[in-house]
Amino acid sequence: MHSRSTGLQLLKVLDAWTEAIEEGYYVDCVYMDLMKAFDKVPHKRLMTKLKHYGIVGRTFEWICDFISNHEQYVELNGKCSKWYDVISGIPQGTVLGPILFVIFTNDLPSNISSEAYMFTDDTKVFQVIRDQNDIDILQRDMDRLSEWLSKWLLTYSTPTNVLLHV
């Protein structure tokens, strides 16, 4: 977005966390990274979202042509597999690729009530913890995110370390 950056996002988050901690509350935060994000976006589901956002007609057809009708094969030790249709993935190294990815993941934060910040395939979800209800809200949101991922055929990477209850 114009006039926005990861630095600005960090400042907003630190401001919210600092305020909560100064008021005597905790902040629970979950950091998530989509696994092979650009490679996993299913074409048919992306096309559904494009239509939902009003991208139709020639523009829709052009985008479909851009991501569809590709084939690939694997070569190992001089032997080749048969050709397979590519049914997922957004071309990287293009101007359109990141835009299509943002369109595909744009509705993720609207499914939860906790604070959520996204940058490409990284998501940060946090909840100020004032009482047990806030813990329950964050857990419900994690369950909703899991359902969203399942519906759209994406997964988060397994964390290498976990920080709980800051």
Side-chain angles (χ1 to χ4, degrees):
M1 290 179 73
H2 181 66
S3 301
R4 303 294 171 121
S5 68
T6 56
L8 179 60
Q9 180 195 111
L10 179 61
L11 289 172
K12 287 181 72 170
V13 168
L14 286 176
D15 186 51
W17 292 358
T18 302
E19 183 179 324
I21 291 168
E22 284 178 349
E23 291 175 2
Y25 301 118
Y26 293 97
V27 176
D28 282 0
C29 183
V30 181
Y31 284 87
M32 299 167 285
D33 177 66
L34 286 170
M35 185 183 300
K36 298 187 180 268
F38 279 73
D39 297 331
K40 298 279 185 164
V41 172
H43 294 161
K44 288 183 179 179
R45 283 179 166 79
L46 173 60
M47 291 175 199
T48 300
K49 287 198 177 195
L50 291 170
K51 287 179 182 176
H52 172 77
Y53 287 115
I55 300 171
V56 294
R58 295 179 114 193
T59 303
F60 177 79
E61 292 170 13
W62 183 84
I63 292 171
C64 290
D65 286 343
F66 176 72
I67 63 171
S68 300
N69 302 319
H70 299 279
E71 294 180 318
Q72 64 185 14
Y73 70 93
V74 176
E75 183 177 340
L76 181 64
N77 296 328
K79 295 186 179 184
C80 298
S81 70
K82 66 180 187 174
W83 286 88
Y84 291 93
D85 291 332
V86 177
I87 59 171
S88 67
I90 296 172
Q92 297 180 49
T94 66
V95 172
L96 188 57
I99 294 168
L100 292 174
F101 185 77
V102 168
I103 289 170
F104 190 74
T105 59
N106 188 53
D107 63 325
L108 187 148
S110 65
N111 289 287
I112 62 173
S113 55
S114 297
E115 291 287 328
Y117 291 86
M118 297 173 62
F119 184 78
T120 323
D121 61 344
D122 297 317
T123 305
K124 173 179 21 224
V125 176
F126 71 90
Q127 180 71 33
V128 174
I129 306 299
R130 295 172 186 86
D131 56 31
Q132 182 62 44
N133 184 55
D134 293 324
I135 295 169
D136 295 340
I137 288 170
L138 183 59
Q139 182 58 58
R140 276 193 304 272
D141 287 343
M142 292 298 100
D143 294 342
R144 287 183 187 130
L145 286 177
S146 180
E147 291 168 10
W148 185 94
L149 290 167
S150 179
K151 176 181 179 179
W152 298 105
L153 304 178
L154 296 175
T155 55
Y156 277 113
S157 300
T158 304
T160 53
N161 56 19
V162 178
L163 174 64
L164 297 174
H165 215 56
V166 177

